[in-house]
Amino acid sequence: MKSKSKEPKPISEFQLALNNFKRNRLAHFCVYLLLALYGMAVFADFLSPYSFENESRQYSYSPPTPIHIIHEGKMTAPFVYGIEFHYDENRKRVFEMDKTKKFPIQLFQTGDEYKLFGVIPCRYHFFGVPEPGRMYLMGADSRGRDLFSRILYGARVSLSIGLIGVLISFSIGLLVGGIAGYYGGGIDNILMRICEMFMLVPGFYLLLALRAAVPDDFNSVQVYFAIVIILSFIGWASLARIIRGMCLSLREREYVLAAKAIGLSDLAIILKHILPHTLSYSIFAVMLSIPGYILGESALSLIGLGIQDPYASWGNLLSDAMSIVRIKFAPWILWPAFFIFLTVICFNIIGDALRDSLDPMLKKAA
Amino acid sequence: MLLAVKDLSIVVNDLAQEKTIVDGISFEVKEKTVTALVGGSGSGKTTTGLATLQLLPSGLSIKRGEVIFKNENLATLPQERLRNIRGKDIAMVFQEPLSAFNPLFTIGAQIEEVLMFHTDLNSTKRQARVFEILNLVGIDEAKRIYNQYPHHLSGGLRQRAMIAQALAANPSLMIADEPTSNLDVTLQAKVIDLFRKLKAELNLSILLITHDLGMVEHLADEVVVMKQGKIVEQGTTKNIIQNPQHPYTQKLIEVVKV
């Protein structure tokens, strides 16, 4: 200890766990990666060169635009060439660079109008090329929309669905598990049988069944919330069962009796003196279950039951990649899959690291 | 009369055969006195203490009898009203403060919790009250202790903090369940002194549950001796200690003298 103060500051259990967590470099890196991904989602309209609806059909499935820094043998600022195409003998478009047209990539390029944070009207984009130039960082989709921009916009849906879904399902799971475990007896019995009903049906079919119950004429915001609620509806039961088991033993602790003796209500005891002790489990359970929500949304959108065009989510961007022929001539449409993969693996690594740092038993074994 | 237990019987009811563990006991705790509930292990004294606050563990229940506190029968009160009495009028000090404090929260936060529930004080006033009460139980560095977690404190400090928590809302009765059995002898003497001081300064009555007749002799005004769920003898401390009638009491006193 190099600390010069005489009195070491009291350290809570969570600070201890956090210190442990910081030692895991990989997980630490994943935290920053995820923060970057979420940052991208938040600032999607600023960071993306085009709006998610900006289409130009002649550039359908245009490949990623190469960025050049050497023009006619001389080094210049980064720029892109104009995109030209002609039809080949199979009436397929073949894209070529038109080396006579040069569009410099400019920071704070004006483009499609959007509202920053939903309020401030703004036309500036972080980078872009002036009209009529067109830049497709990750290629274009069938309608000539910029896939990179759409991935950024899609991140908003795909990444937030995990967080909101987990928030809802864990609130339900913790509360139901806490109540069942604390009271025991008949209440426990009823609640657990309800949980089992949800766990009995295979998740994906339940997902489809619940989605079928949602009216077709919902707008995209309503569909979004319907999906969140459906996903959390499926997720809470298994957590509730585990929390219930932990609460069965936690309720016998003497501080629970002491809390009763100072007159706290049952709900206050469950929330303040029992559930916090399950946090070390729930925190990494949260981390490990977020990918499930992201994948669930992707699966629904992939088969066309989720977010609808023109709105983007990683799942519905991928639905374009359902045909093997399309993947063959436009492999860049698989980019969303890479982002899903990256997010899911980040959450898994962080979840694992959290479990290691929160569980004192594992620490000893290591 | 502050507390009167009348013909109280407690049974284990989840066994095939009902088993009586407290059998028709009656005693009283007068205002500003210390009444000691004395007995060996398994005599039912702790169970009696918990039954007073209606905090019996699942499986145990009151079969008959009354617990009259300030003219109300606690045994038949609705939960709502009971919660207002617990901690505010009757407080409890547990045997092992390390397990009776929640390890996740600081000492200060846990003492404040009592005030949060039973008073309308705002957070600054609550904090001031916590400092005041910590000083009262003889903790000088109240500000430091306030931010400590239970496992950071020594056993003696922890027990004082537990007593402070019990006293936070100014109860008129404190039930102390073996408050000194996990402390060494010098600390025991200090806790006894503290109880004496609190009784004098705060007009506090104490129901002291203990097996330690030495402590009883120094602290209690009246003694109730229990054996296997029954009261074998009760009276003023002086009478019982100097002139024990029942052989069980005589035995208990002999142990202390050796």
Side-chain angles (χ1 to χ4, degrees):
Chain A
M1 282 280 182
K2 281 182 181 172
S3 161
K4 279 182 185 169
S5 63
K6 285 172 197 159
E7 187 69 44
K9 249 192 130 342
I11 296 177
S12 72
E13 269 185 60
F14 284 110
Q15 279 166 306
L16 277 174
L18 201 65
N19 291 345
N20 273 325
F21 179 77
K22 283 183 180 162
R23 272 183 224 134
N24 189 332
R25 292 254 177 104
L26 182 62
H28 213 164
F29 173 72
C30 286
V31 170
Y32 288 116
L33 203 58
L34 269 187
L35 284 178
L37 283 169
Y38 274 91
M40 272 166 48
V42 171
F43 296 104
D45 32 25
F46 173 66
L47 291 175
S48 59
Y50 301 102
S51 109
F52 62 94
E53 289 174 305
N54 185 328
E55 58 180 58
S56 69
R57 300 239 171 156
Q58 73 264 36
Y59 297 128
S60 169
Y61 292 119
S62 163
T65 323
I67 295 170
H68 300 268
I69 51 170
I70 294 170
H71 182 58
E72 291 165 353
K74 268 183 262 167
M75 200 103 127
T76 57
F79 65 94
V80 298
Y81 287 116
I83 305 166
E84 283 294 315
F85 64 88
H86 63 265
Y87 292 96
D88 66 3
E89 65 275 19
N90 299 325
R91 300 267 324 137
K92 251 187 199 165
R93 273 180 233 205
V94 177
F95 290 93
E96 279 172 352
M97 281 181 290
D98 178 359
K99 295 215 170 179
T100 58
K101 289 177 193 153
K102 183 189 155 203
F103 302 100
I105 298 174
Q106 282 168 350
L107 292 181
F108 304 106
Q109 171 74 36
T110 50
D112 300 319
E113 189 162 333
Y114 60 90
K115 286 203 167 113
L116 195 62
F117 306 119
V119 275
I120 314 163
C122 187
R123 291 184 63 89
Y124 292 103
H125 292 260
F126 182 55
F127 64 92
V129 292
E131 295 283 336
R134 204 72 190 166
M135 180 173 70
Y136 294 112
L137 215 53
M138 293 179 176
D141 68 358
S142 59
R143 294 209 226 154
R145 294 175 294 198
D146 177 29
L147 195 59
F148 175 68
S149 301
R150 283 179 67 75
I151 285 174
L152 291 188
Y153 279 95
R156 289 186 164 174
V157 171
S158 294
L159 292 178
S160 65
I161 247 171
L163 291 191
I164 300 177
V166 136
L167 198 73
I168 298 176
S169 75
F170 271 64
S171 313
I172 302 175
L174 282 173
L175 203 63
V176 170
I179 289 172
Y182 179 75
Y183 289 107
I187 296 176
D188 179 29
N189 226 330
I190 292 166
L191 288 177
M192 284 306 108
R193 295 302 84 75
I194 294 173
C195 279
E196 275 154 20
M197 271 162 52
F198 280 98
M199 295 171 74
L200 271 173
V201 187
F204 195 69
Y205 298 102
L206 188 58
L207 198 64
L208 292 182
L210 286 169
R211 181 62 182 89
V214 172
D216 299 332
D217 55 351
F218 269 18
N219 66 33
S220 53
V221 178
Q222 286 169 318
V223 167
Y224 174 83
F225 283 106
I227 293 172
V228 173
I229 290 166
I230 288 170
L231 287 172
S232 28
F233 218 63
I234 295 169
W236 66 273
S238 58
L239 180 82
R241 278 189 70 91
I242 295 167
I243 295 297
R244 172 251 182 196
M246 297 171 98
C247 291
L248 276 179
S249 94
L250 284 169
R251 68 169 180 185
E252 303 297 334
R253 299 281 173 88
E254 207 175 22
Y255 50 73
V256 174
L257 184 64
K260 280 185 201 163
I262 62 173
L264 290 189
S265 64
D266 289 347
L267 192 65
I269 291 174
I270 294 174
L271 292 180
K272 252 194 112 172
H273 291 279
I274 293 186
L275 289 182
H277 290 267
T278 66
L279 265 192
S280 56
Y281 170 79
S282 358
I283 284 178
F284 73 75
V286 162
M287 281 295 162
L288 291 176
S289 67
I290 288 177
Y293 293 85
I294 295 175
L295 293 174
E297 181 275 323
S298 300
L300 272 183
S301 298
L302 182 75
I303 54 176
L305 292 175
I307 307 296
Q308 305 290 330
D309 219 50
Y311 296 98
S313 86
W314 290 347
N316 84 3
L317 291 178
L318 265 187
S319 62
D320 217 16
M322 290 240 278
S323 133
I324 191 77
V325 182
R326 231 171 277 154
I327 293 179
K328 212 178 150 194
F329 79 88
W332 52 88
I333 55 177
L334 284 173
W335 269 111
F338 170 75
F339 281 89
I340 293 175
F341 169 77
L342 203 64
T343 311
V344 167
I345 205 152
C346 276
F347 274 113
N348 278 331
I349 289 173
I350 294 171
D352 273 342
L354 276 176
R355 174 168 50 201
D356 293 350
S357 59
L358 285 167
D359 193 337
M361 295 304 172
L362 277 172
K363 235 178 287 166
K364 270 176 204 156
Chain B
M1 195 61 52
L2 190 65
L3 176 80
V5 173
K6 289 181 185 163
D7 192 29
L8 181 71
S9 286
I10 299 166
V11 293
V12 185
N13 51 11
D14 55 3
L15 299 176
Q17 208 183 353
E18 210 174 66
K19 191 184 169 218
T20 306
I21 52 173
V22 170
D23 193 0
I25 62 166
S26 302
F27 64 90
E28 289 172 344
V29 179
K30 297 191 186 73
E31 268 156 55
K32 295 172 217 168
T33 59
V34 177
T35 304
L37 213 52
V38 189
S41 298
S43 58
K45 53 192 195 308
T46 298
T47 310
T48 308
L50 289 174
T52 315
L53 270 178
Q54 308 302 312
L55 286 177
L56 287 173
S58 59
L60 299 188
S61 62
I62 296 181
K63 199 183 178 195
R64 67 189 147 84
E66 293 176 327
V67 180
I68 310 286
F69 176 78
K70 289 184 175 166
N71 301 323
E72 280 181 299
N73 184 4
L74 299 187
T76 56
L77 275 187
Q79 282 294 320
E80 199 84 355
R81 177 88 189 92
L82 268 176
R83 281 209 299 274
N84 282 326
I85 291 176
R86 289 177 193 151
K88 187 162 189 260
D89 297 306
I90 308 179
M92 186 129 189
V93 172
F94 289 88
Q95 180 173 358
E96 180 40 89
L98 185 58
S99 50
F101 274 126
N102 189 332
L104 288 183
F105 300 107
T106 59
I107 296 285
Q110 297 193 55
I111 299 177
E112 261 192 68
E113 200 175 18
V114 182
L115 298 171
M116 230 142 68
F117 195 71
H118 290 297
T119 66
D120 303 325
L121 301 179
N122 63 26
S123 100
T124 9
K125 281 185 183 160
R126 280 202 302 264
Q127 197 169 0
R129 170 73 183 149
V130 174
F131 290 152
E132 182 193 346
I133 205 84
L134 284 172
N135 285 327
L136 182 75
V137 298
I139 296 177
D140 307 323
E141 306 163 284
K143 285 214 167 94
R144 187 174 69 89
I145 302 300
Y146 185 89
N147 286 320
Q148 299 270 357
Y149 289 89
H151 58 275
H152 287 132
L153 303 187
S154 66
L157 271 180
R158 241 186 335 250
Q159 189 56 274
R160 279 167 195 267
M162 181 98 235
I163 294 167
Q165 188 193 32
L167 295 173
N170 258 328
S172 40
L173 175 66
M174 179 163 88
I175 301 174
D177 185 5
E178 307 258 13
T180 60
S181 55
N182 283 327
L183 302 176
D184 67 42
V185 185
T186 48
L187 286 173
Q188 281 181 10
K190 281 187 185 161
V191 170
I192 291 173
D193 283 344
L194 175 62
F195 276 8
R196 271 210 202 120
K197 179 183 131 189
L198 295 175
K199 182 184 127 189
E201 285 180 13
L202 300 177
N203 297 331
L204 184 71
S205 302
I206 300 174
L207 177 60
L208 181 68
I209 298 167
T210 181
H211 60 265
D212 178 1
L213 271 177
M215 186 178 182
V216 171
E217 198 178 350
H218 286 109
L219 190 58
D221 304 299
E222 301 197 12
V223 181
V224 178
V225 185
M226 283 181 76
K227 187 196 177 190
Q228 289 176 352
K230 287 185 180 140
I231 292 178
V232 293
E233 201 168 0
Q234 62 191 109
T236 62
T237 309
K238 210 174 165 191
N239 276 341
I240 301 270
I241 300 282
Q242 287 174 356
N243 191 16
Q245 300 296 314
H246 196 273
Y248 182 68
T249 320
Q250 290 165 357
K251 225 194 255 172
L252 280 176
I253 292 170
E254 253 171 57
V255 175
V256 178
K257 279 179 184 157
V258 175

